[in-house]
Amino acid sequence: MAEKIISIEGLSKSFGDHEVLRKIDISVQKGEVICIVGSSGSGKSTLLRCINRLERQTNGKIFYHGKEIRDVQREINEYRSKVGMVFQSFNLFNNMTVLENCMCGTRKVLHLSKEEAFDRAISHLKKVGMAPYINAKPSQLSGGQKQRVAIARALCMNPEVLLFDEPTSALDPEMVGDVLNVMKELAQTGLTMIIVTHEMAFARDVSTRTIFMDKGYVAEDAAPSELFTNPKNPRTREFLSRYLAG
Amino acid sequence: MASGILLQALPETTIGWMFFLAKKYSSMFLQGTGITLYIAIVGTILGFILGYVVGIVQDMKINKEDNIIKKIFGNILKEICIVYVEVFRDTPMIVQAMIIYYGMNQSGLSIDPVPAGILVTLLNTGAYMAETVRAGIKSIDIGQREGALAMGMSPMKTMFHIILPQAFKNIIPEMANTFLTNLKMTSVLNVILVQELFMAAKTAGGTYYKYFESYLVIAVIYFVLCFVFNRLFLFIEKRMAGKNDYVLAVEYMENQ
């Protein structure tokens, strides 16, 4: 049995009267690549944001290595430095170059030396093919390039888990491939990943486990070979048929 | 005979009078310009600092989960800031000057006109600047904050390393505006006996009863000062915008 990194127990989230997540129970083992799929508004992104504590859950608990994540800013900061996040809108820091973006977290959060931070940044930027652009500002890059830098920036923190919130949804089709390839390579290195995506082929081929969410519930949680070929839940079937037909 | 010489020496045109007054009272105008600049620059810089502090406090979020001390202290601080900004934005600077100068002297805290002038300018600037800073912070996409928080940066570090540098750049034009306003608003400080430009013009104009020409002289001085500073700020803004191109780091190109 692999080591359990994150476990979520009875997680609920409401915005006012609107219940977005209802009693979610998920646990994440080391090395798993989990894809979360489902229609818009099903709560996928909110779940991911709750895991990173960008949203505070209304009810339920999140454990990291068996320890509950409490409402203490210092503990949250430390937890976040180990659970990285890649956003749909990239969120690269506009006041910094590509290199500075990648050195920001290692310098300001992990307090690495300049040389160490630089070496780490370059090695991860090389991995995503963005090392030649270290002097560029985010505004000078294309969407696909920005997202690859954002992935490198997250990797610089040496995260235990990396969360991806629809990383390719804001990209044009030509660039989606580049980003997905980078993610595929990451999956092969054994990094634990949780990916919210609409790329069904990617989810089917890369994930070790696929979660289908519907109306704030986890409707189905199975191996991709199971979920994509023989879905148990009628909602999953309906959703997939629409996707695979289109 | 003596009066004849005097009459001959006096100019006949408006321009002539302006030069005459400017020359005759040059040291007074120069001193007035110096004090005007001094109050405007010191008052504005201190006001900016105050404005940033108040703006950041107003932007601070207090969550339900925070501990009781932070909640109470934070809320009191926020209330003070709200009252301060409201009071100084809703009263004229000339009235604030009178109240602060006479109020302090009357209650035993004796203060000279120039420090009082700086105090009024900085308090006034702080109140307006706080709103500008708040707007500047709000203008930064929420994603910038989330990107920083998500990598474990504390809210404080996020503010200083990510949000403020960007907000600062956005509000430079407004900061320049505030400074120019202050430069001109120092003229009201003559009511608390500050020897700035307006006071100089009033004194110079009184001797020959040539107020029109005297005020024209300081209008020119104000104009030149503002004009020069305006160009300076435009230059700074351009420099801050940064270059449009970047150099590829060829040493990291893949085919090498």
Side-chain angles (χ1 to χ4, degrees):
Chain A
M1 189 73 184
E3 191 187 343
K4 202 188 272 182
I5 299 182
I6 292 177
S7 60
I8 298 163
E9 290 177 11
L11 190 85
S12 310
K13 171 76 187 173
S14 333
F15 292 108
D17 290 336
H18 182 55
E19 259 196 310
V20 186
L21 297 176
R22 307 166 202 240
K23 293 222 171 286
I24 305 274
D25 293 297
I26 295 174
S27 65
V28 181
Q29 322 277 342
K30 197 172 175 58
E32 275 193 302
V33 177
I34 300 177
C35 278
I36 304 177
V37 299
S39 46
S40 299
S42 58
K44 310 181 296 289
S45 289
T46 307
L47 172 60
L48 215 60
R49 290 169 60 83
C50 279
I51 295 177
N52 194 272
R53 286 303 302 261
L54 284 175
E55 303 286 352
R56 192 182 182 279
Q57 70 269 26
T58 317
N59 265 310
K61 288 173 177 171
I62 299 171
F63 296 90
Y64 176 71
H65 286 294
K67 198 166 165 263
E68 192 191 340
I69 303 305
R70 298 181 302 157
D71 292 316
V72 180
Q73 191 64 50
R74 202 165 345 106
E75 288 178 21
I76 292 175
N77 294 346
E78 204 186 321
Y79 164 73
R80 280 171 172 162
S81 72
K82 287 168 186 151
V83 179
M85 185 144 173
V86 173
F87 297 85
Q88 180 178 352
S89 50
F90 329 121
N91 296 351
L92 291 180
F93 305 136
N94 294 326
N95 55 328
M96 299 180 184
T97 63
V98 165
L99 183 65
E100 286 163 346
N101 261 283
C102 291
M103 288 174 65
C104 186
T106 40
R107 295 281 291 145
K108 306 278 192 282
V109 180
L110 302 182
H111 305 291
L112 295 189
S113 74
K114 220 172 181 174
E115 295 73 30
E116 223 175 323
F118 177 81
D119 291 343
R120 238 193 233 190
I122 293 292
S123 89
H124 287 298
L125 281 168
K126 272 185 181 163
K127 252 185 238 169
V128 300
M130 287 301 292
Y133 298 91
I134 48 174
N135 301 319
K137 283 277 177 77
S139 59
Q140 295 160 331
L141 302 176
S142 72
Q145 291 176 322
K146 279 186 210 172
Q147 195 59 296
R148 283 185 282 152
V149 172
I151 292 173
R153 179 177 75 177
L155 289 173
C156 284
M157 301 294 289
N158 278 353
E160 249 198 292
V161 183
L162 201 46
L163 312 172
F164 292 82
D165 187 8
E166 302 198 25
T168 58
S169 295
L171 303 178
D172 68 55
E174 268 184 275
M175 292 168 179
V176 169
D178 290 345
V179 172
L180 290 183
N181 280 337
V182 167
M183 289 166 64
K184 222 176 264 181
E185 277 166 32
L186 281 179
Q188 279 154 8
T189 64
L191 178 70
T192 313
M193 294 156 72
I194 306 177
I195 305 161
V196 168
T197 186
H198 288 293
E199 299 287 331
M200 293 303 146
F202 177 83
R204 190 185 55 209
D205 300 340
V206 178
S207 71
T208 58
R209 188 172 144 203
T210 308
I211 291 173
F212 173 70
M213 283 189 68
D214 185 45
K215 299 195 181 93
Y217 291 104
V218 171
E220 199 157 349
D221 181 349
S225 54
E226 233 353 75
L227 193 131
F228 282 97
T229 51
N230 186 20
K232 300 272 182 302
N233 192 308
R235 272 294 294 139
T236 320
R237 230 170 291 154
E238 196 187 325
F239 174 76
L240 287 177
S241 69
R242 214 174 297 155
Y243 247 97
L244 298 176
Chain B
M1 200 64 207
S3 70
I5 290 167
L6 187 67
L7 278 175
Q8 247 181 348
L10 290 178
E12 279 154 17
T13 59
T14 302
I15 302 282
W17 269 108
M18 282 172 69
F19 277 107
F20 176 80
L21 290 174
K23 206 169 158 197
K24 176 145 191 177
Y25 296 103
S26 60
S27 67
M28 205 162 72
F29 282 122
L30 221 60
Q31 192 206 358
T33 308
I35 290 179
T36 290
L37 275 175
Y38 176 62
I39 294 178
I41 291 173
V42 176
T44 308
I45 290 174
L46 294 178
F48 281 170
I49 296 170
L50 180 64
Y52 269 95
V53 172
V54 174
I56 291 168
V57 168
Q58 289 190 322
D59 184 72
M60 200 169 64
K61 279 180 192 64
I62 295 163
N63 301 315
K64 266 186 279 177
E65 309 83 71
D66 287 336
N67 67 48
I68 188 89
I69 297 163
K70 190 181 169 191
K71 261 191 205 164
I72 293 174
F73 189 68
N75 278 321
I76 290 175
L77 210 59
K78 278 187 131 166
E79 284 304 317
I80 292 173
C81 287
I82 289 171
V83 172
Y84 156 63
V85 170
E86 201 65 44
V87 166
F88 276 84
R89 286 181 47 178
D90 297 355
T91 50
M93 183 162 153
I94 192 166
V95 176
Q96 293 163 12
M98 297 297 249
I99 290 175
I100 288 175
Y101 180 66
Y102 290 108
M104 282 179 79
N105 281 317
Q106 203 170 306
S107 58
L109 295 159
S110 81
I111 188 166
D112 286 334
V114 171
I118 290 175
L119 186 62
V120 173
T121 307
L122 94 84
L123 287 174
N124 208 285
T125 306
Y128 282 95
M129 209 37 212
E131 289 297 291
T132 307
V133 169
R134 212 163 57 92
I137 291 172
K138 282 229 164 22
S139 74
I140 305 303
D141 179 40
I142 182 85
Q144 296 288 310
R145 192 185 294 242
E146 290 187 345
L149 292 178
M151 62 164 60
M153 229 185 247
S154 67
M156 207 58 164
K157 277 186 186 168
T158 302
M159 181 54 90
F160 283 103
H161 296 297
I162 311 296
I163 309 293
L164 278 187
Q166 296 183 50
F168 180 78
K169 214 163 126 181
N170 287 357
I171 62 179
I172 286 178
E174 189 50 39
M175 285 165 70
N177 228 347
T178 304
F179 176 71
L180 294 186
T181 306
N182 282 347
L183 198 61
K184 289 173 285 179
M185 282 303 278
T186 51
S187 58
V188 306
L189 296 175
N190 75 88
V191 299
I192 55 167
L193 311 174
V194 177
Q195 306 283 331
E196 42 64 60
L197 268 177
F198 191 91
M199 184 72 116
K202 207 155 78 173
T203 315
T207 323
Y208 292 93
Y209 207 69
K210 285 289 174 190
Y211 286 111
F212 172 60
E213 290 79 359
S214 181
Y215 285 116
L216 271 180
V217 170
I218 63 161
V220 171
I221 297 176
Y222 279 121
F223 182 87
V224 170
L225 288 180
C226 288
F227 187 85
V228 169
F229 276 106
N230 223 337
R231 300 303 113 168
L232 186 72
F233 292 137
L234 282 177
F235 176 73
I236 293 173
E237 202 187 323
K238 241 186 196 160
R239 281 292 295 269
M240 291 280 293
K243 285 185 242 124
N244 263 330
D245 48 355
Y246 59 92
V247 185
L248 269 182
V250 283
E251 63 268 37
Y252 299 120
M253 297 288 261
E254 269 152 40
N255 51 7
Q256 282 199 347

